[in-house]
C-alpha cells in the first residue's frame, strides 16, 4: 500500500543529492516525493542495482516508462523527470525476484545517461518547488484549490472502491500545498501521463490547478457511471420484483383452481373472443394465442405484437351480415333516382336481387364496369349499395405495386398489418358489403410482387370462400361480398383476372342522356353546393344543349359539371353583390360566364378540297373523330406519314396505297406514281394515334386526292382494309357513333360485319343517323365521294338566332 509520512521540513532536512544516480524505470506508475511505494523487481539490470545498494540504503533515481510493454527500455523510452528515492527495505521472493520499499525524496531531472551496464546511471539535476507568492503572504487562490481538492477527494471516496478511508484521512490532514497535489493524484487510478504531468509541474499553483482538473473530471466520470449503474440496477430489481409477484399470483390462482393467469386483460380478451362468433379455425387460433399471451410478460417486446394480433381477430366481422333489400321495385326506384340511363347495369343488379330472393345462400357476383372516365362507374357502386341496403367500402388500386397491400404482411415483420381487403372489411363492419375495387386496370408490379395475381384468390368465386390474409393466417369467407371493379380499359387487366370477372361496358352518354342528367342531377347539386336557392337560378334547355355542344366534348360528365359550377359561381357572386335576385341562364348568357365557345360542331369547313376524310377513333376517354388529309407533290413515288402514327396505322396507309396502285386502271386513275410523292397527315400531331380502324379512311383520302373528287362533309367512316379491297370489322363502334353524333355527322360508313353491333346504340341516336354497311372499298368511295365536278359552296342563311354559315352542294 502506498503511504505518506508527515514531517515538518525544519525538523528533518533533506539529504544532499549526488550529481549522478542509478536509475530504476517503472511501469504503469509514477513515484512522487514523500511517497512510500513497494516495487516488484524482476529485470536483470534492476536486480543488480538493488543487490548493490540494498545494504547501504543508498539513494536511487526512479522514473516512469512511456510505454509499459517495453521490456528493456532505452533513454528515449523513459521520462526524464522523476524522483530521487531511498531504499527502505528489500524482500526476497520465492520466484527469485525481489520486492523493494522505496520512499521518494526530491524531484529530479535526468540531464544525460552516463552508463548502461550493469545498470542505468544518469547525471541528474535536483528540482525544487516554485512558490507563486512571496514567502509569508497568504494566497487565497491556493487555499481555494486545496479546499476544493479535499472536498472532491472526500466525495470520490464513496464512488471509487479503491479510495480507502486511510487515503481520505491522509488527504484531509495535509496542510502543505505542494504535498497535497502529489498525494491526491498518486492515490487515483488514472493514466501514467496525467500523473507525470503533475510531477513535472514545479509551480505550486499550477500543480494544484492541474490536480484539481484531474480530480473534477474523474469525479464526474465516477458519478455518471454510478448513476447509470443505479438506473440499470433499479430496472433489473423492478423486473425481478414484477416477475416474482407474477409467479406468486400464478401460484395463488393455481391453488384456488382458477385457470386464468391473473391478468384481467387476458380475462377480458377471452370473453370477447367467446362472443365474437368466429369460425372454428379462427377461434382455435385466437384461444391458442391467448394462452401464449397469458404466459408472456407484459414487459416483453412480443407481448404487444401478440395483443395486436388478437385485436385484429376480434375486429374482423366474421359473422356480422346486413340484410338485403329484396324488394326489387324499391331497388329499381333507388337506382333510377341516383342514375339516369345505364339500363344494362341496372338490369344486372335487379337480376342478382331476384336470384338472391329465391336462393338465400348464393355467392356474390364479381362485376367489372369498364368505360371512359366520368361516366359514373365509381358513384354507381355507392348507388348499388344503397339499393341493396348494404355497407359500402372502396379501395383505390391505382399505382399499387406491393402484393402485401392486398394480402397483408406476415407477423414476423415489424409493424406488420393485414392487407387492404381485411382492413376495408373491418372498416365496413360487415361480412357482406358492396366492395369497390377502383381502377383495377392501373395495378402495377415490380420486385415486391404482382398485386394483380394476389387478387385472383379474392375475385375467384371458387376460391374466395377461404381467402387467407398473410397477417391473420386464418381463412375468411369473401363469397358473400359483392365485388365491383372499375376500369377505363379491359386490355391492361391480366387475362387470368379478367376471366374471373363479369365485364359490363359503360359507354359514352348520348346528348339526350346528358341533358337529362344535367337537369336532374348536376344543376341541382351545384346550386346547392354554391349556397344558391332553387328559386334563384334556373337553366333553360337550350342553354344546356349549347353547353353540351359548344363547351364540352367528352364521353362522361366531368367537364360539363365544371362548366355548370363556373356559372353557379358567377351567379353566386352577383347575388352576394346584390346585382341580381334570380336568374335564368339562356344560350346568350353562356359567353358572359364561360367565354367563347370551345368546340365547333360544324366539320364541313374543312372539306373544300379533295383528299380530306373524317374518320372515327376509339380512345380510353370514349369515341372521337379525326381528320385524315392527303396531298401530292412532284417526287419519286415516296409515301410520307406524319401525325404521331403508330405501326398499325402506318401499315394501313401502305396497304391502302398499294390497293390503289394495283387497281389504278380499274379506278380510272391516270397518275404516274413514280413521279409524285404522297403525304398523308393526321392533324393534332402531338397526340399519338394508333389502331386497326383507319384503313378505309386512308384509302378514301388517297382516292379522293388522285381523282380530284371531294368527300362528303357529313360522312364519317371506320373500318380496316385488306390488300384485296375487303373491309374488315372493328371494335368500339358504339363510342365512335356517339362521337360522330356529337360532331354533327349524320352518315356513317361501317363494315357490314359490324351491323349487328348497332343494337347497342340508343334508338334516339339511330333514328337521327344513316348507316351504310360496306363489304368492299368500292362501296366506300361510291357512298363517300361527291360526283365529278361537284364541290361545296358556302352561303349565308339567316336563321332565327342570327346569321349562320351553311354548306350546300352545288354543281
Amino acid at each position: 500500500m502506498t503511504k505518506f509520512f508527515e514531517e515538518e521540513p525544519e525538523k528533518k532536512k533533506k539529504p544532499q543529492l549526488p550529481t549522478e544516480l542509478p536509475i530504476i524505470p517503472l511501469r504503469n506508475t509514477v513515484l512522487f516525493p514523500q511517497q512510500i511505494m513497494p516495487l516488484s523487481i524482476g529485470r536483470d539490470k534492476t536486480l543488480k542495482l538493488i543487490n548493490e545498494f540494498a545494504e547501504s540504503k543508498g539513494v536511487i533515481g526512479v522514473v516512469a516508462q512511456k510505454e509499459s510493454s517495453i521490456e528493456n527500455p532505452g533513454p528515449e523510452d523513459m521520462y526524464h523527470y522523476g524522483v530521487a528515492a531511498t531504499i527502505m527495505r528489500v524482500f526476497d521472493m520465492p520466484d527469485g525476484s525481489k520486492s523493494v520499499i522505496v520512499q521518494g525524496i526530491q524531484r529530479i531531472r535526468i540531464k544525460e545517461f552516463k552508463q548502461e551496464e550493469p545498470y542505468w546511471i544518469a547525471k541528474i539535476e535536483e528540482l525544487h518547488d516554485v512558490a507563486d507568492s512571496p514567502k509569508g503572504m497568504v494566497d487565497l487562490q491556493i487555499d481555494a484549490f486545496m479546499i476544493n481538492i479535499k472536498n472532491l477527494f472526500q466525495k470520490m471516496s464513496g464512488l471509487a472502491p479503491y479510495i480507502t478511508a486511510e487515503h481520505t484521512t491522509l488527504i484531509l490532514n495535509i496542510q502543505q500545498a505542494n504535498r497535497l497535489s502529489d498525494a491526491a493524484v498518486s492515490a487515483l487510478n488514472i493514466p501514467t501521463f496525467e500523473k507525470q504531468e503533475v510531477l513535472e509541474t514545479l509551480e505550486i499553483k499550477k500543480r494544484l490547478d492541474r490536480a484539481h482538473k484531474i480530480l473534477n473530471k474523474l469525479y464526474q466520470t465516477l458519478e455518471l457511471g454510478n448513476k447509470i449503474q443505479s438506473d440499470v440496477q433499479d430496472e433489473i430489481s423492478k423486473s425481478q420484483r414484477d416477475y416474482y409477484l407474477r409467479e406468486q399470483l400464478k401460484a395463488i390462482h393455481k391453488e384456488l383452481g382458477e385457470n386464468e393467469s391473473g391478468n384481467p386483460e387476458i380475462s377480458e380478451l377471452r370473453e370477447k373472443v367467446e362472443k365474437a362468433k368466429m369460425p372454428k379455425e379462427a377461434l382455435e387460433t385466437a384461444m391458442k394465442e391467448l394462452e401464449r399471451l397469458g404466459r408472456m410478460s407484459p414487459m416483453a417486446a412480443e407481448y404487444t405484437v401478440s395483443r395486436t394480433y388478437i385485436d385484429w381477430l376480434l375486429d374482423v366481422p366474421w359473422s356480422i351480415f346486413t340484410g338485403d333489400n329484396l324488394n326489387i321495385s324499391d331497388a329499381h326506384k333507388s337506382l333510377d333516382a341516383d342514375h339516369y340511363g345505364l339500363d344494362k347495369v341496372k338490369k344486372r343488379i335487379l337480376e342478382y336481387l331476384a336470384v338472391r330472393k329465391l336462393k338465400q345462400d348464393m355467392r356474390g357476383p364479381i362485376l367489372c364496369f369498364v368505360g371512359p372516365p366520368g361516366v359514373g362507374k365509381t358513384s354507381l357502386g355507392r348507388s348499388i349499395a344503397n339499393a341493396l341496403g348494404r355497407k359500402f367500402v372502396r379501395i383505390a388500386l391505382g399505382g399499387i405495386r406491393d402484393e402485401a397491400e392486398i394480402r397483408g404482411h406476415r407477423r414476423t415483420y415489424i409493424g406488420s398489418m393485414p392487407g387492404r381487403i381485411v382492413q376495408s372489411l373491418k372498416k365496413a363492419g360487415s361480412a357482406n358489403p358492396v366492395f369497390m375495387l377502383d381502377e383495377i386496370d392501373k395495378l402495377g408490379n415490380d420486385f415486391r410482387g404482382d398485386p394483380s395475381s394476389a387478387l385472383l384468390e379474392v375475385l375467384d368465386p371458387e376460391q374466395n370462400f377461404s381467402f387467407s390474409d398473410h397477417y391473420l393466417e386464418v381463412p375468411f369467407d369473401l363469397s358473400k361480398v359483392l365485388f365491383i371493379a372499375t376500369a377505363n380499359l379491359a386490355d391492361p387487366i391480366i387475362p387470368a383476372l379478367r376471366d374471373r370477372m363479369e365485364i359490363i361496358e359503360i359507354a359514352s352518354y348520348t346528348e339526350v342522356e346528358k341533358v337529362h342528367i344535367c337537369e336532374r342531377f348536376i344543376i341541382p347539386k351545384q346550386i346547392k353546393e354554391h349556397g344558391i336557392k332553387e328559386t334563384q337560378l334556373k337553366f333553360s334547355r337550350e342553354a344546356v344543349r349549347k353547353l353540351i355542344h359548344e363547351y364540352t366534348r367528352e364521353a362522361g360528365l366531368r367537364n360539363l359539371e365544371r362548366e355548370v359550377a363556373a356559372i353557379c359561381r358567377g351567379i353566386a357572386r352577383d347575388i352576394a353583390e346584390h346585382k341580381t335576385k334570380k336568374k335564368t341562364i339562356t344560350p346568350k348568357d353562356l359567353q358572359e360566364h364561360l367565354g367563347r365557345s370551345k368546340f365547333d360542331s360544324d366539320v364541313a369547313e374543312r372539306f373544300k378540297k379533295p383528299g380530306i376524310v373524317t374518320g372515327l377513333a376509339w380512345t380510353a376517354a370514349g369515341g372521337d373523330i379525326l381528320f385524315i388529309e392527303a396531298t401530292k407533290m412532284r417526287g419519286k413515288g415516296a409515301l410520307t406519314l406524319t401525325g404521331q402514327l403508330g405501326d398499325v396505322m402506318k401499315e394501313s396507309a401502305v396497304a391502302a396505297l398499294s390497293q390503289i396502285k394495283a387497281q389504278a386502271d380499274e379506278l380510272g386513275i391516270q397518275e404516274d406514281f413514280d413521279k409524285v410523292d404522297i403525304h398523308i397527315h393526321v392533324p393534332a400531331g402531338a397526340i399519338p394515334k394508333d389502331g386497326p380502324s383507319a384503313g378505309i379512311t386512308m384509302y378514301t383520302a388517297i382516292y379522293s386526292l388522285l381523282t380530284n373528287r371531294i368527300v362528303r362533309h357529313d360522312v364519317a367512316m371506320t373500318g380496316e382494309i385488306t390488300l384485296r379491297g375487303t373491309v374488315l370489322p372493328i371494335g368500339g363502334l358504339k363510342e365512335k357513333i356517339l362521337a360522330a353524333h356529337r360532331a354533327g355527322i349524320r352518315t356513317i360508313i361501317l363494315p357490314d360485319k359490324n351491323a349487328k353491333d348497332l343494337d347497342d346504340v340508343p334508338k334516339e341516336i339511330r333514328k337521327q343517323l344513316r348507316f351504310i354497311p360496306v363489304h368492299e372499298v368500292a362501296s366506300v368511295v361510291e357512298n363517300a365521294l361527291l360526283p365529278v365536278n361537284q364541290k361545296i359552296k358556302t352561303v349565308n342563311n339567316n336563321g332565327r338566332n342570327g346569321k349562320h354559315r351553311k354548306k350546300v352542294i352545288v354543281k
Side-chain angles (χ1 to χ4, degrees):
M1 179 184 294
T2 302
K3 293 185 178 180
F4 292 88
F5 61 89
E6 291 286 346
E7 186 170 340
E8 297 298 330
E10 53 270 18
K11 292 183 181 179
K12 182 179 179 181
K13 291 187 177 181
K14 297 176 183 177
Q16 185 69 32
L17 299 179
T19 57
E20 293 183 359
L21 288 177
I23 302 299
I24 294 179
L26 298 182
R27 295 179 180 179
N28 298 321
T29 188
V30 175
L31 180 67
F32 285 89
Q34 309 305 321
Q35 182 182 6
I36 298 173
M37 178 185 293
L39 304 177
S40 294
I41 306 300
R43 295 172 179 167
D44 293 338
K45 288 185 179 181
T46 310
L47 285 173
K48 293 176 182 179
L49 186 153
I50 294 301
N51 290 332
E52 185 173 335
F53 284 83
E55 294 183 1
S56 63
K57 296 184 179 180
V59 180
I60 60 174
V62 180
V63 298
Q65 285 184 208
K66 296 178 180 178
E67 295 290 339
S68 60
S69 59
I70 300 175
E71 183 63 30
N72 294 309
E76 69 280 359
D77 301 320
M78 294 181 282
Y79 289 105
H80 284 205
Y81 282 81
V83 173
T86 58
I87 300 175
M88 299 180 67
R89 292 194 65 177
V90 179
F91 301 95
D92 293 328
M93 305 303 291
D95 60 354
S97 63
K98 294 181 182 292
S99 179
V100 182
I101 297 177
V102 299
Q103 181 181 11
I105 302 174
Q106 182 66 37
R107 283 176 168 82
I108 62 171
R109 183 176 69 85
I110 296 176
K111 298 173 72 174
E112 62 175 322
F113 285 91
K114 305 292 292 183
Q115 177 181 316
E116 181 177 357
E117 296 294 340
Y119 44 79
W120 288 104
I121 296 178
K123 187 176 181 181
I124 60 100
E125 174 187 4
E126 188 176 351
L127 301 176
H128 299 280
D129 294 336
V130 178
D132 296 282
S133 56
K135 189 175 182 181
M137 296 289 291
V138 177
D139 193 326
L140 296 179
Q141 194 171 6
I142 290 179
D143 290 345
F145 275 132
M146 292 181 67
I147 292 171
N148 287 343
I149 288 174
K150 290 180 179 181
N151 289 337
L152 284 171
F153 203 90
Q154 192 171 13
K155 292 178 181 177
M156 289 169 57
S157 63
L159 300 175
Y162 60 84
I163 298 179
T164 64
E166 184 180 358
H167 283 121
T168 306
T169 303
L170 177 64
I171 296 298
L172 295 178
N173 290 330
I174 295 178
Q175 303 300 324
Q176 293 83 9
N178 58 340
R179 297 257 324 278
L180 179 63
S181 55
D182 292 348
V185 171
S186 66
L188 303 179
N189 285 346
I190 58 175
T192 302
F193 74 90
E194 290 189 348
K195 291 185 177 182
Q196 185 67 30
E197 288 178 358
V198 175
L199 179 68
E200 294 180 5
T201 304
L202 301 181
E203 295 86 348
I204 296 175
K205 188 184 296 184
K206 289 184 179 179
R207 191 190 305 165
L208 287 170
D209 183 24
R210 183 63 190 162
H212 180 265
K213 289 179 180 177
I214 293 173
L215 282 164
N216 192 37
K217 175 184 175 183
L218 184 60
Y219 170 69
Q220 292 180 9
T221 304
L222 290 172
E223 189 176 37
L224 181 59
N226 186 67
K227 182 179 182 302
I228 294 172
Q229 182 65 25
S230 176
D231 292 343
V232 172
Q233 188 63 36
D234 289 345
E235 187 66 30
I236 294 174
S237 299
K238 184 178 182 302
S239 298
Q240 291 176 341
R241 175 178 172 274
D242 291 347
Y243 176 77
Y244 177 71
L245 292 175
R246 199 174 294 109
E247 291 299 318
Q248 280 187 326
L249 198 57
K250 285 182 180 180
I252 292 170
H253 278 278
K254 187 176 181 181
E255 289 296 326
L256 293 174
E258 298 177 358
N259 294 325
E260 291 298 341
S261 62
N263 189 342
E265 187 178 32
I266 304 298
S267 303
E268 182 182 351
L269 287 174
R270 186 179 295 276
E271 292 178 8
K272 290 182 178 179
V273 169
E274 291 173 351
K275 295 178 181 179
K277 298 180 181 179
M278 298 180 182
K280 181 180 178 181
E281 188 173 347
L283 181 61
E284 291 176 354
T285 302
M287 287 299 184
K288 184 178 178 181
E289 195 69 23
L290 269 176
E291 294 296 332
R292 181 168 171 267
L293 189 67
R295 296 190 300 269
M296 199 182 303
S297 169
M299 303 299 297
E302 200 173 349
Y303 184 89
T304 304
V305 176
S306 184
R307 170 61 199 269
T308 304
Y309 175 67
I310 295 175
D311 286 340
W312 269 106
L313 287 176
L314 291 171
D315 290 339
V316 174
W318 300 97
S319 56
I320 302 175
F321 297 93
T322 55
D324 286 344
N325 174 20
L326 298 180
N327 190 317
I328 299 178
S329 299
D330 291 346
H332 196 178
K333 291 177 182 178
S334 178
L335 290 172
D336 286 340
D338 291 341
H339 285 79
Y340 180 85
L342 303 177
D343 295 330
K344 185 185 294 186
V345 180
K346 294 176 182 178
K347 176 176 176 289
R348 180 63 183 85
I349 298 303
L350 295 176
E351 289 172 351
Y352 165 75
L353 277 179
V355 177
R356 181 81 171 79
K357 189 173 183 178
L358 300 176
K359 192 174 188 299
Q360 297 296 325
D361 59 345
M362 74 166 293
R363 295 176 179 176
I366 314 295
L367 306 179
C368 181
F369 298 155
V370 177
V375 296
K377 299 185 298 295
T378 304
S379 60
L380 187 59
R382 190 177 297 275
S383 299
I384 293 172
N386 293 336
L388 295 176
R390 292 190 180 189
K391 299 291 183 67
F392 176 77
V393 287
R394 169 187 170 271
I395 61 173
L397 299 178
I400 290 180
R401 296 178 177 272
D402 192 353
E403 178 188 348
E405 291 282 345
I406 306 298
R407 283 189 169 275
H409 300 78
R410 298 194 182 277
R411 282 189 290 154
T412 52
Y413 298 106
I414 296 175
S416 59
M417 60 191 306
R420 293 199 178 190
I421 301 297
V422 174
Q423 290 183 43
S424 299
L425 290 173
K426 173 191 172 183
K427 181 180 178 182
S430 167
N432 65 335
V434 174
F435 201 123
M436 174 152 283
L437 303 170
D438 225 354
E439 308 291 355
I440 198 171
D441 58 329
K442 295 177 178 59
L443 280 174
N445 63 81
D446 58 13
F447 63 92
R448 289 167 289 190
D450 183 3
S452 297
S453 300
L455 280 174
L456 292 178
E457 184 182 359
V458 177
L459 300 180
D460 191 342
E462 301 299 326
Q463 301 181 40
N464 64 8
F465 65 90
S466 60
F467 169 71
S468 178
D469 185 271
H470 285 161
Y471 181 83
L472 296 183
E473 295 181 335
V474 289
F476 186 90
D477 186 3
L478 295 176
S479 62
K480 301 297 188 295
V481 179
L482 175 54
F483 284 104
I484 299 176
T486 69
N488 294 131
L489 300 171
D491 293 340
I493 306 174
I494 62 173
L497 186 58
R498 189 167 61 243
D499 181 62
R500 286 163 167 79
M501 298 186 294
E502 181 181 344
I503 304 294
I504 299 178
E505 294 187 359
I506 301 178
S508 309
Y509 287 111
T510 65
E511 179 186 341
V512 175
E513 289 174 335
K514 287 186 177 182
V515 170
H516 281 85
I517 293 172
C518 187
E519 291 178 342
R520 290 176 52 182
F521 299 102
I522 296 178
I523 292 176
K525 175 185 174 184
Q526 293 301 323
I527 288 176
K528 182 178 179 181
E529 288 187 357
H530 288 82
I532 304 172
K533 297 179 182 179
E534 294 182 3
T535 57
Q536 292 178 312
L537 178 61
K538 294 183 179 180
F539 285 73
S540 68
R541 176 157 293 190
E542 291 75 14
V544 174
R545 289 184 184 278
K546 185 174 181 180
L547 191 61
I548 293 170
H549 273 290
E550 300 184 14
Y551 289 89
T552 63
R553 183 163 291 177
E554 57 179 341
L557 300 164
R558 286 182 181 150
N559 286 329
L560 178 59
E561 190 167 0
R562 292 189 188 101
E563 300 297 345
V564 173
I567 295 173
C568 291
R569 288 195 300 271
I571 299 302
R573 177 182 175 183
D574 291 343
I575 294 174
E577 294 177 352
H578 304 289
K579 294 182 179 179
T580 184
K581 291 184 178 180
K582 56 190 306 185
K583 178 72 174 177
T584 299
I585 302 298
T586 63
K588 294 181 180 180
D589 298 320
L590 294 181
Q591 184 168 352
E592 177 186 350
H593 293 281
L594 303 178
R596 289 177 295 180
S597 300
K598 299 177 182 178
F599 301 99
D600 185 5
S601 61
D602 191 356
V603 299
E605 181 67 25
R606 292 175 174 264
F607 294 85
K608 293 182 178 180
K609 295 181 180 180
I612 303 175
V613 186
T614 304
L616 297 177
W618 182 92
T619 69
D624 199 2
I625 64 170
L626 54 84
F627 296 96
I628 295 181
E629 302 174 350
T631 188
K632 62 180 180 179
M633 62 211 80
R634 285 181 294 178
K636 297 180 180 180
L639 175 64
T640 304
L641 302 172
T642 56
Q644 280 253 46
L645 303 183
D647 292 338
V648 177
M649 290 190 72
K650 291 178 180 178
E651 291 172 0
S652 297
V654 174
L657 181 58
S658 298
Q659 166 68 6
I660 289 177
K661 286 181 178 180
Q663 297 184 350
D665 295 337
E666 298 176 14
L667 298 174
I669 298 174
Q670 305 297 325
E671 195 72 58
D672 187 354
F673 291 100
D674 293 331
K675 295 183 179 180
V676 296
D677 289 345
I678 295 177
H679 184 173
I680 297 177
H681 176 66
V682 183
I687 302 174
K689 310 170 193 71
D690 200 9
S693 63
I696 64 172
T697 315
M698 292 186 173
Y699 178 93
T700 305
I702 299 173
Y703 184 88
S704 169
L705 174 70
L706 298 178
T707 59
N708 201 31
R709 294 173 62 185
I710 298 176
V711 180
R712 299 175 62 91
H713 70 277
D714 60 344
V715 173
M717 60 188 68
T718 179
E720 194 49 84
I721 190 176
T722 68
L723 287 176
R724 299 298 178 186
T726 304
V727 180
L728 300 179
I730 46 83
L733 183 64
K734 180 180 178 181
E735 286 77 7
K736 294 176 181 178
I737 292 174
L738 293 178
H741 182 267
R742 286 196 299 269
I745 293 171
R746 293 298 176 262
T747 302
I748 296 176
I749 299 175
L750 69 157
D752 57 352
K753 293 183 179 179
N754 283 116
K756 62 182 184 300
D757 298 327
L758 294 176
D759 293 340
D760 296 332
V761 182
K763 289 182 180 180
E764 63 270 15
I765 301 296
R766 293 204 304 266
K767 291 178 180 179
Q768 299 176 36
L769 300 178
R770 177 184 172 218
F771 299 99
I772 304 176
V774 295
H775 183 72
E776 300 285 341
V777 289
S779 302
V780 176
V781 295
E782 179 182 347
N783 289 280
L785 273 64
L786 294 175
V788 182
N789 299 325
Q790 284 192 354
K791 60 181 180 179
I792 294 177
K793 182 178 180 180
T794 302
V795 298
N796 287 334
N797 176 42
N798 291 328
R800 58 181 179 179
N801 293 326
K803 284 189 176 182
H804 293 277
R805 293 196 299 178
K806 181 180 179 182
K807 279 72 182 181
V808 297
I809 300 172
V810 297
K811 291 186 178 181

